Amino acid sequence: LRLIYTTTAVQRKNIGASGPEKYTEEFIKKQIEEFNLGKRHLANMMGEDPETFTQEDIDKAVAYLFPSGLFDKQARPMMKHPTEIFPEQRKIQWGEDGRPFHFLFYTGKQSYYSLMHEMYEKFLNLQKYQDQLLAQDLLPQKEKRNLSGSRWLTKIELEEMLLEKLSNDDYSRFIQLLEKLVTLPCGDIEEKYVQKFSREVAAQLKKVDIEPLKYDEQGVAFSTGEGARKTARATVVVYDNGTGKITVNGIDVLHYFPVLQDREQLLFPFQFLDRVGKHDMICTVSGGGRSAQAGAIRLASAKALKSFVTQKEVEFLRQAGLLTTDPRVRERKKPGQEGARRKFTWKKR
Amino acid sequence: DDKLLTVPLSHPDYFNVKELFSLKDLFDARVHLGHKKGCRHRFMEPYIFGCRLEQDIIDLDQTMEHLQLALNFTAHIAYRKGIILFVSRKRQFCHLVESTARECGEYAHTRYWQGGLLTNTHIHFGSGVRLPDLLIFLSSLNNIFEPHVAIRDAAKMNIPTVGVVDTNCNPCLITYPIPGNDDSPSAMELYCKLFKMTIIRAKDKRKQNEAFRELS
């Protein structure tokens, strides 16, 4: 009996259906030989040494020999190792006499169910161990697990790991069992096993970089910030030990922004940090309208205030949305419509 | 080769399965306890000994006979290297049944039964699959208290079935029903132990006979 590779069907359950997706072991071996030969030919063509021709060199050579203006990178000509091109597939699951190798073969999703079986077994063993400890009153205190640094596998990652299609219910049951396993008091013993199913999540706090304070001639600390909103661009210098005086383009804030709403916007970052009368501000702003300029100055001042304030307060600022540029810009008018969204009046006849 | 397969069939109890269990074992494992009178299935009435305080009691003498027939049959199937599939939809005993199957070297299916697993194998598995030669139901109902789909599918595909039938089950399509309790953990552990011992015994006997044949 030849071992035939079959695809993990993406759309259909049709794992066994004969189609162009079946790759025999011999076919893949031949492809690998052809690839290696081709690599050497390519190296000779480019004048490089065939022995030390890496995948990056192949990519550069192919891009040089076959320049393509196509936008999709995967549509351009490529030359990669066959294991990357032909997706990883499952071999036929039974032996010569027809008996399947895996004891859960007849369920259909053997790897998923065997994984659940294994995890449940570990869960039962942990419970027994816990009962023994309880009988001897040696139960260890549960320390809080660090939840922020890791996440569980996503459904797609699990499917890739098991090489099988899963349903959403299957995935949620898997996650529930993992959570149960971890929340047991003796869950630390199975840490290694559980770590296989968790991934690190880079903390987002590190993205915000805080600049150090600068000092001018009198020794007063200040910092600058830049902000934008719609078409308005603003640069702001925030001075320490101030009285809350704000100057915009050389004009006092009361004269530049006669409307209360705009002045409230300028005040918001200081109010949030309880530093209302403590800083002086000198701003330059251009472009946009009244409201846009106010928003731009607000963003710039919040960015400047980052240097004066602790890490925790910076995180509060970020979560309050004071440090994010508002991405809303005026949408263009489209032909065949009266405005960006408004259509012409529809007349029945 | 002929003698290897025909000699066991001439004896009524070639593998001596009677010695694996006794009436006292069945009683201690609470196999005789059925459901309440209201849950009784009409076709289970011949197997019921009586009713006490509205709870049905299964006749253990009949259970003994049926169990002996069923175990003998599984032993013969295992001797002839057949594929045995343990089926049970009871969530409490899912792990137990799967472990039993794994230890015997046979197969188990204690999860959601997808539509055409037996009747539409080409779609589910691929061409050239070998179907199970025996289905053992350790609980013949599914989670909605209806007869398990596999009973009907096995009958369609001419696959013999062995099943533990409780007082609320339908023993009709099962070839070797075993009237007995399927809800107590002790009863389930007993059944798993008995099936495991018979299958291992039958496989060892087969290896022995083949070794004898090699020598002679």
Side-chain angles (χ1 to χ4, degrees):
Chain A
L1 261 177
R2 274 190 322 181
L3 280 174
I4 302 176
Y5 283 96
T6 46
T7 39
T8 51
V10 176
Q11 255 80 47
R12 324 155 293 187
K13 270 192 251 179
N14 226 329
I15 298 175
S18 57
E21 294 135 349
K22 269 201 209 141
Y23 312 118
T24 27
E25 219 178 307
E26 295 141 33
F27 174 77
I28 300 239
K29 270 196 199 142
K30 216 174 64 169
Q31 291 291 312
I32 294 176
E33 277 164 26
E34 279 181 17
F35 171 77
N36 288 326
L37 261 182
K39 201 168 82 165
R40 295 182 77 89
H41 278 305
L42 189 61
N44 280 328
M45 272 196 274
M46 299 301 286
E48 306 262 355
D49 180 18
E51 303 298 326
T52 54
F53 206 55
T54 56
Q55 184 62 44
E56 289 165 2
D57 298 327
I58 298 180
D59 292 333
K60 278 187 216 162
V62 164
Y64 171 72
L65 291 169
F66 305 99
S68 154
L70 296 171
F71 290 128
D72 190 0
K73 305 278 184 206
Q74 283 173 326
R76 296 184 185 176
M78 67 168 143
M79 183 165 158
K80 289 206 180 342
H81 194 80
T83 43
E84 290 168 46
I85 299 184
F86 300 105
E88 203 190 307
Q89 294 143 26
R90 276 233 291 241
K91 304 170 247 190
I92 274 212
Q93 306 286 331
W94 52 87
E96 280 258 347
D97 56 351
R99 288 184 77 104
F101 297 129
H102 200 275
F103 77 106
L104 287 176
F105 170 76
Y106 287 105
T107 53
K109 300 178 200 166
Q110 63 178 51
S111 9
Y112 169 72
Y113 285 133
S114 78
L115 178 67
M116 295 296 275
H117 177 81
E118 238 178 72
M119 275 211 302
Y120 193 64
E121 185 150 8
K122 289 199 195 285
F123 181 72
L124 286 176
N125 289 340
L126 274 185
Q127 277 191 327
K128 249 194 277 181
Y129 181 63
Q130 201 187 322
D131 291 335
Q132 281 174 359
L133 287 187
L134 222 119
Q136 296 160 10
D137 286 326
L138 287 172
L139 214 60
Q141 284 305 313
K142 178 72 183 158
E143 297 141 17
K144 289 258 168 167
R145 208 174 129 260
N146 180 23
L147 295 161
S148 57
S150 60
R151 62 165 175 89
W152 295 125
L153 281 186
T154 56
K155 185 172 161 224
I156 302 169
E157 283 171 1
L158 189 61
E159 281 183 351
E160 275 170 42
M161 206 167 105
L162 301 174
L163 293 177
E164 262 173 10
K165 277 295 299 172
L166 295 177
S167 77
N168 288 332
D169 292 321
D170 291 335
Y171 174 69
S172 53
R173 268 180 226 129
F174 170 73
I175 297 295
Q176 276 168 12
L177 188 54
L178 267 178
E179 290 284 325
K180 263 175 104 172
L181 197 61
V182 159
T183 46
L184 275 184
C186 320
D188 304 322
I189 305 168
E190 300 295 336
E191 265 309 312
K192 260 191 234 171
Y193 182 73
V194 164
Q195 262 167 24
K196 274 191 250 172
F197 304 110
S198 66
R199 296 276 176 272
E200 291 270 318
V201 163
Q204 284 167 332
L205 297 161
K206 290 159 195 170
K207 276 190 201 166
V208 182
D209 36 31
I210 305 173
E211 282 163 39
L213 284 171
K214 287 170 261 188
Y215 294 87
D216 70 356
E217 297 110 22
Q218 272 100 34
V220 177
F222 72 95
S223 84
T224 45
E226 282 176 3
R229 172 89 212 272
K230 284 190 180 176
T231 336
R233 303 283 178 267
T235 41
V236 144
V237 185
V238 175
Y239 290 92
D240 209 357
N241 301 337
T243 50
K245 216 169 67 161
I246 306 175
T247 315
V248 185
N249 284 353
I251 306 169
D252 187 39
V253 70
L254 281 168
H255 296 293
Y256 198 86
F257 290 119
V259 181
L260 178 64
Q261 175 195 329
D262 306 332
R263 276 174 279 150
E264 273 183 344
Q265 288 287 302
L266 296 200
L267 207 54
F268 183 21
F270 299 98
Q271 209 177 18
F272 191 80
L273 296 168
D274 282 329
R275 285 160 177 257
V276 178
K278 295 182 191 161
H279 293 282
D280 272 345
M281 209 159 72
I282 298 181
C283 338
T284 40
V285 66
S286 64
R290 179 200 86 201
S291 198
Q293 286 186 343
I297 301 175
R298 180 184 105 173
L299 177 63
S301 58
K303 283 188 182 170
L305 279 173
K306 272 193 307 187
S307 330
F308 287 93
V309 140
T310 55
Q311 272 269 15
K312 223 180 170 181
E313 300 217 287
V314 168
E315 181 59 19
F316 289 154
L317 272 180
R318 187 185 73 87
Q319 287 190 353
L322 279 165
L323 296 176
T324 25
T325 326
D326 200 334
R328 297 179 288 177
V329 190
R330 185 173 160 277
E331 200 176 310
R332 74 161 269 202
K333 175 198 175 308
K334 285 107 190 172
Q337 293 176 358
E338 187 154 332
R341 300 284 172 103
R342 161 124 172 101
K343 321 282 187 280
F344 290 122
T345 317
W346 178 74
K347 295 205 177 84
K348 199 163 181 179
R349 34 189 81 81
Chain B
D1 193 37
D2 241 8
K3 272 188 82 178
L4 198 65
L5 296 177
T6 47
V7 159
L9 292 176
S10 48
H11 302 244
D13 195 3
Y14 186 68
F15 302 96
N16 203 4
V17 288
K18 272 198 210 119
E19 65 175 23
L20 290 174
F21 60 94
S22 69
L23 205 100
K24 186 160 192 323
D25 290 337
L26 294 184
F27 186 82
D28 289 331
R30 302 171 222 213
V31 164
H32 59 288
L33 300 173
H35 289 274
K36 293 282 192 182
K37 193 161 80 173
C39 298
R40 197 193 296 169
H41 192 101
R42 197 182 141 167
F43 296 144
M44 288 301 287
E45 278 160 22
Y47 302 123
I48 292 174
F49 183 73
C51 189
R52 165 133 176 111
L53 294 171
E54 289 194 13
Q55 188 182 12
D56 286 332
I57 308 294
I58 298 168
D59 189 359
L60 283 181
D61 296 315
Q62 293 189 46
T63 304
M64 290 268 282
E65 295 164 10
H66 282 93
L67 192 54
Q68 195 260 315
L69 289 171
L71 288 175
N72 185 38
F73 185 70
T74 50
H76 280 278
I77 295 266
Y79 180 86
R80 302 170 89 114
K81 297 200 182 156
I83 295 182
I84 302 183
L85 187 62
F86 286 85
V87 180
S88 162
R89 204 56 181 100
K90 280 242 148 71
R91 218 182 119 95
Q92 300 160 282
F93 310 117
C94 146
H95 186 81
L96 174 67
V97 170
E98 286 184 342
S99 328
T100 321
R102 193 179 48 186
E103 282 149 28
C104 297
E106 298 294 343
Y107 308 87
H109 185 109
T110 56
R111 311 285 178 166
Y112 177 73
W113 181 275
Q114 285 171 322
L117 272 184
L118 289 182
T119 44
N120 210 358
T121 46
H122 288 256
I123 305 287
H124 281 274
F125 302 116
S127 36
V129 209
R130 191 175 142 187
L131 283 177
D133 300 306
L134 174 66
L135 247 57
I136 302 187
F137 288 91
L138 287 147
S139 153
S140 75
L141 297 181
N142 60 17
N143 288 350
I144 341 175
F145 302 108
E146 280 171 15
H148 202 291
V149 178
I151 305 177
R152 192 202 65 192
D153 282 356
K156 280 191 189 177
M157 304 302 286
N158 287 345
I159 301 172
T161 352
V162 163
V164 173
V165 277
D166 205 350
T167 46
N168 54 354
C169 307
N170 186 352
C172 278
L173 284 175
I174 305 173
T175 25
Y176 289 91
I178 305 171
N181 191 7
D182 61 2
D183 298 297
S184 308
S186 49
M188 289 300 267
E189 277 167 14
L190 178 76
Y191 297 134
C192 287
K193 192 184 78 168
L194 288 175
F195 281 117
K196 191 162 76 165
M197 289 200 324
T198 35
I199 293 173
I200 292 174
R201 219 183 239 207
K203 288 187 175 171
D204 289 338
K205 196 81 186 208
R206 170 74 182 222
K207 275 191 217 154
Q208 240 181 13
N209 289 2
E210 281 184 337
F212 282 158
R213 208 168 49 119
E214 296 283 312
L215 289 172
S216 62

